[in-house]
Amino acid sequence: MAEEKKPEEKPEEKKEVKWYTGMFSTEDWWAFWLGSFFVILGVIAAFTQTPLTGWIVSFKTWTSIEKSIAASHKELMSPIAALITSYIIFTILTAIGAYFMKWKLRDYLLAWTIIFILATISYILGKNAWISAPSTKWEKYGLESGLQLGGAHYIFALIIGLIIGNLAPKKFKEFIMKAARPEWFIKIAIVALGAKLGLKAVEFPGYATHLLVAGACATIAAYLLYWPIAYYLTRRFFGFNRQWAACFASGISICGVSASIATAAATRAPAIIPVIISAIIVIFATIQLIVYPPLLTKFWFNEPISAGASLGLTIKTDGADAAAGELLDEFMRAKAEAMGIMWEEGWILNAAVLTKIWIDIFIGIWAFLLAVIWVRYFERRPGEKVPKIEIWLRFPKFVLGYFLAMFLLMALGFSGVLTVEQLEYGVKPVEGALRKFFFLLTFVCIGIVTDFKKLKEAGIGKVALAYALILFGIITPLGLFIAWVFHRGMTPPPAS
Amino acid sequence: MFELIKLLIINQTGEQEPWDKIESKLVLGSIIAGIIALILLAVVINVTILAKY
């Protein structure tokens, strides 16, 4: 999850921290600020019925390339103008974040521009009708055949990223890494996804509540089972020491990178432990992102929401989880559409993201508990107390944006202040076009930061073996089971 | 096979520490709590929410 805290930082270092620490210097907070800004802009547009969000570029299924892009509000500007405006506004806003996070602005801007162009090319290519249109729409596009690869744009983006991450010259790769921030981009998209869930909740109030409650229950069960099982196996079977086992168990069972770092801090483990575990987590999450959505679509099509929730329970980075959820949503709906079943977009994705978000929420509490256990039982530091502010500091702040967006839209919709149509006018470009474009950016960036050679470095292949065995042998089957127990029988509402 | 894997990993993951009784209690406690939570929550969710689907 959160990678705003670099693994190179020594977890044992103590710093003076306040509740607002990091508010303008971490990716997590900047995802909250930018995501919330876009959602609020959408809400203002809904109130005033002015096209404040109409400039956001939207990518369409196409047979002639000039129809591949459009402004979200077509009457506002030409497609090219929308693309350029989107580039300028996204660039300015993310550059403000980059400036406050003290990144090298010039490098960021150049690398960001390349990533933006790559994402745009992937999006346009993948949305070609022959590649992506389901058979039910061939007639509409004048086709007699096609590949029916719903979500192909994400696959293209990932492949382009992986090529750069693994085959590009070292200098170019180092340069483009300056803006390859998959966790940041996905968190901005997830805040926008909160707006989508809020909007859908107004349309389908019972369904959204069910998904929220079921996701929370699945998370509680998973936390209490995953962690102790992973800890026990690594300690007893693989011979890890306590600090290794704790960081490993948190990484593989909770929320990947940030949980591993938080646990290292809580248990005062050497910095090298979360560094090695983080590298493994990122690589395996990418493998899961590639493998799980097609497998789930093929073998678990009758349980689409369970399948979505299982991603949240088994994929250990927010970026890969949400990306896999988006892919699964596309794959499942494309398969359903080919069978004449029309499902509302986004519910499978929301199941994947919601379970992951519940897991993220509990990181702070879990790290706090581990710190208390370590102080009290293993390190026996008499008189030392663990400050409760640790819970807040470990809390993923972008989650606040997600819930803020969701509850704001629900409040406006349920109270009757705005109708669904009015809300859609302002917010749809944010929860639709903008969110999907940031997903695309995430796919390119995940590919760039995934370096398979890292598995060979420093002998971490040995730890990776333990990770693979537990991930595929324990976490995944248990995740599938828990997801099924709490979501069985649920399917997305019919498309309106 | 498993012994070989174990030997390979030990070098990477610090010196072995003896298994403490408190670890048994914590792990067992968490697993039991997890199973109870799983069953109870599953019953509640299946009787209420999932019964509608």
Side-chain angles (χ1 to χ4, degrees):
Chain A
M1 207 213 56
E3 286 175 301
E4 69 278 4
K5 188 175 177 183
K6 296 286 179 194
E8 287 76 16
E9 283 182 36
K10 290 179 181 175
E12 61 269 30
E13 276 181 7
K14 272 199 164 182
K15 293 173 184 171
E16 183 73 22
V17 285
K18 305 282 184 193
W19 67 270
Y20 51 80
T21 297
M23 203 169 258
F24 295 106
S25 60
T26 64
E27 278 185 10
D28 202 19
W29 269 111
W30 272 102
F32 170 82
W33 295 125
L34 294 187
S36 302
F37 169 80
F38 287 122
V39 172
I40 289 168
L41 192 68
V43 169
I44 294 170
F47 263 110
T48 57
Q49 292 293 292
T50 49
L52 293 175
T53 50
W55 50 270
I56 297 171
V57 66
S58 171
F59 292 78
K60 310 286 182 191
T61 306
W62 58 276
T63 47
S64 61
I65 199 160
E66 64 271 18
K67 290 182 181 171
S68 61
I69 56 173
S72 290
H73 290 162
K74 288 175 188 169
E75 70 285 358
L76 190 65
M77 59 180 72
S78 70
I80 291 296
L83 184 63
I84 293 169
T85 309
S86 296
Y87 167 72
I88 291 170
I89 294 178
F90 292 163
T91 302
I92 291 171
L93 291 174
T94 58
I96 291 171
Y99 171 79
F100 278 99
M101 287 187 277
K102 296 189 168 65
W103 299 350
K104 283 184 181 173
L105 213 49
R106 185 178 161 277
D107 290 351
Y108 171 78
L109 287 171
L110 288 172
W112 153 264
T113 301
I114 293 174
I115 291 171
F116 185 97
I117 292 168
L118 292 175
T120 303
I121 293 169
S122 311
Y123 215 154
I124 291 173
L125 281 178
K127 292 295 271 184
N128 174 271
W130 185 77
I131 293 172
S132 65
S135 57
T136 49
K137 292 192 174 166
W138 285 351
E139 197 179 332
K140 176 183 171 185
Y141 295 108
L143 297 171
E144 289 180 354
S145 65
L147 296 178
Q148 301 191 75
L149 291 175
H153 45 298
Y154 294 123
I155 304 289
F156 288 161
L158 187 63
I159 290 171
I160 289 173
L162 283 171
I163 290 170
I164 295 172
N166 290 273
L167 302 174
K170 195 179 170 189
K171 272 196 171 179
F172 179 73
K173 195 184 152 192
E174 282 172 359
F175 155 73
I176 206 158
M177 288 281 275
K178 307 280 184 192
R181 302 284 175 165
E183 297 289 323
W184 191 31
F185 297 144
I186 202 71
K187 286 173 186 173
I188 294 171
I190 288 174
V191 174
L193 187 66
K196 183 179 182 69
L197 187 62
L199 202 55
K200 292 294 168 194
V202 178
E203 289 180 72
F204 307 97
Y207 199 87
T209 314
H210 294 170
L211 210 54
L212 265 172
V213 175
C217 292
T219 302
I220 291 166
Y223 249 98
L224 292 170
L225 291 172
Y226 280 173
W227 201 95
I229 291 172
Y231 181 84
Y232 179 82
L233 287 174
T234 48
R235 283 280 287 136
R236 299 290 277 182
F237 177 72
F238 293 107
F240 285 26
N241 68 22
R242 285 191 197 105
Q243 288 171 325
W244 259 101
C247 292
F248 186 100
S250 292
I252 201 167
S253 56
I254 304 177
C255 188
V257 176
S258 66
S260 180
I261 292 170
T263 304
T267 61
R268 298 191 174 178
I272 188 67
I273 296 177
V275 169
I276 290 178
I277 293 172
S278 298
I280 293 170
I281 288 166
V282 170
I283 290 165
F284 273 93
T286 306
I287 295 169
Q288 289 176 289
L289 158 65
I290 296 166
V291 173
Y292 283 14
L295 282 182
L296 288 169
T297 306
K298 185 165 178 58
F299 296 108
W300 223 18
F301 176 69
N302 60 331
E303 287 285 354
I305 299 293
S306 298
S310 75
L311 295 177
L313 292 170
T314 54
I315 298 182
K316 299 301 162 188
T317 69
D318 286 335
D321 166 56
E326 179 76 2
L327 264 186
L328 185 68
D329 200 302
E330 293 270 355
F331 289 171
M332 286 276 194
R333 284 187 307 106
K335 189 170 177 178
E337 205 172 331
M339 297 162 70
I341 305 165
M342 305 296 281
W343 281 334
E344 267 287 334
E345 182 203 345
W347 286 103
I348 298 168
L349 166 64
N350 258 309
V353 171
L354 260 178
T355 43
K356 192 75 177 69
I357 275 181
W358 281 119
I359 288 175
D360 292 352
I361 286 172
F362 290 113
I363 285 177
I365 297 166
W366 199 256
F368 180 78
L369 281 175
L370 287 175
V372 171
I373 289 167
W374 244 255
V375 168
R376 183 170 294 176
Y377 296 114
F378 298 138
E379 296 178 358
R380 296 186 177 85
R381 296 194 285 264
E384 184 173 338
K385 286 187 176 179
V386 179
K388 290 188 178 64
I389 197 172
E390 281 295 316
I391 297 175
W392 165 248
L393 293 175
R394 302 288 173 202
F395 187 89
K397 311 303 180 300
F398 77 98
V399 168
L400 293 177
Y402 177 88
F403 283 119
L404 181 76
M406 182 177 76
F407 289 126
L408 179 63
L409 272 282
M410 285 167 74
L412 291 170
F414 286 132
S415 63
V417 173
L418 290 171
T419 63
V420 172
E421 290 73 27
Q422 287 172 319
L423 283 170
E424 280 187 343
Y425 178 84
V427 177
K428 205 163 180 57
V430 176
E431 61 87 355
L434 179 140
R435 175 178 61 82
K436 287 179 182 177
F437 191 76
F438 273 82
F439 268 110
L440 239 295
L441 292 169
T442 305
F443 272 86
V444 176
C445 295
I446 284 177
I448 292 170
V449 301
T450 303
D451 185 351
F452 289 108
K453 287 195 290 290
K454 277 187 181 171
L455 275 177
K456 292 181 188 168
E457 289 172 10
I460 63 174
K462 296 164 190 171
V463 184
L465 189 61
Y467 193 90
L469 287 173
I470 295 175
L471 181 68
F472 297 120
I474 306 286
I475 302 293
T476 297
L478 197 54
L480 290 169
F481 175 69
I482 291 173
W484 177 78
V485 166
F486 291 103
H487 301 85
R488 66 177 184 82
M490 292 178 86
T491 53
S496 47
Chain B
M1 170 72 176
F2 290 135
E3 282 304 309
L4 179 65
I5 294 168
K6 190 174 165 182
L7 280 172
L8 283 171
I9 290 172
I10 284 170
N11 292 337
Q12 288 293 314
T13 52
E15 281 183 27
Q16 273 191 293
E17 288 170 330
W19 180 256
D20 197 302
K21 278 183 184 174
I22 192 70
E23 289 177 279
S24 290
K25 284 183 184 172
L26 291 168
V27 164
L28 202 61
S30 180
I31 291 175
I32 291 170
I35 293 170
I36 292 171
L38 180 66
I39 294 168
L40 286 178
L41 291 170
V43 168
V44 172
I45 293 286
N46 276 267
V47 170
T48 55
I49 291 174
L50 297 181
K52 294 168 186 168
Y53 294 91

